[in-house]
Amino acid sequence: MKNKPLLIIGGGGHAAALAEILLKQNKKIVGVVAPELIAVGNVFDGIELFHNDDDILKFNPQDVLLVNGIGSMPFKLLREAIYNRFKKLGYEFATVIADSAIVSDYSVIGCGVQVMNNCVVNCGAAVRDNTIINTSSSIDHDCIIGAHCHLAPGSTLSGQVVVENNVHIATGSNVINNITIGRNSIIGVGANITKSIPANSIVYGARAIVKGLESNDS
């Protein structure tokens, strides 16, 4: 990570988890940007609070790195919108890797990727920009994970899995090797994926029932 002060966007649980990782790594956090702090605990104590996204513009893009502390949930586009807005304005986003994560020297980790506690990213894997690899997730060899994805806690990808952009893989899901998951898809909690999934799909249940997003009533 470039040795610049950090500005965290977001005041919820994901932002707090990132802040704790960074503070343990002795990184300098110059502020948190959020309308209010809703995270439990006092991890943000002593860090200046800025209430509006436009306050980020007070910082020269050459002087800080941004940390995208907005969580990622299905049908919620704020995280991606924040990333795209400030990238266009010339800001860079810090890549955050927890000390407890195991990340191969032979993997490729993109801009703004967040690899949380106890994750594994094996050799030959590539994780694209602004993706979250959340707590205790496992990515095996030669997987390719697209941009703006979220692998929720405890998800497991076997080798040579391709995950296209904007995919949400929920907690406890398992994906066998040589599977492709199409863009904008949602893999539900505990689903077992044994065949490739088309783009714009919702998959749910341990036996992986596939449903098109256009027919989703939620």
Side-chain angles (χ1 to χ4, degrees), residues 128 145-149 163-167 181-185:
R128 307 304 186 202
I145 314 300
H148 313 298
C149 293
V163 178
E164 296 181 351
N165 293 347
N166 299 98
V167 169
I181 300 176
R183 67 188 184 280
N184 304 322
S185 292

Side-chain angles (χ1 to χ4, degrees), residues 99-169:
D99 289 341
S100 60
I102 300 172
V103 177
S104 171
D105 292 339
Y106 301 98
S107 63
V108 177
I109 306 298
C111 175
V113 169
Q114 296 159 358
V115 184
M116 307 301 282
N117 288 305
N118 301 316
C119 293
V120 176
V121 180
N122 262 315
C123 61
V127 184
R128 307 304 186 202
D129 295 355
N130 197 41
T131 282
I132 302 171
I133 310 300
N134 222 328
T135 308
S136 298
S137 293
S138 179
I139 299 173
D140 221 299
H141 65 88
D142 302 309
C143 289
I144 299 174
I145 314 300
H148 313 298
C149 293
H150 181 199
L151 273 63
S155 54
T156 301
L157 274 57
S158 297
Q160 298 170 304
V161 171
V162 175
V163 178
E164 296 181 351
N165 293 347
N166 299 98
V167 169
H168 179 90
I169 300 180

Side-chain angles (χ1 to χ4, degrees), residues 22-44:
L22 293 165
L23 289 170
K24 285 181 177 179
Q25 294 173 346
N26 296 315
K27 305 297 183 183
K28 182 179 180 181
I29 301 173
V30 294
V32 56
V33 182
E36 59 180 334
L37 299 178
I38 59 175
V40 175
N42 56 359
V43 68
F44 293 123

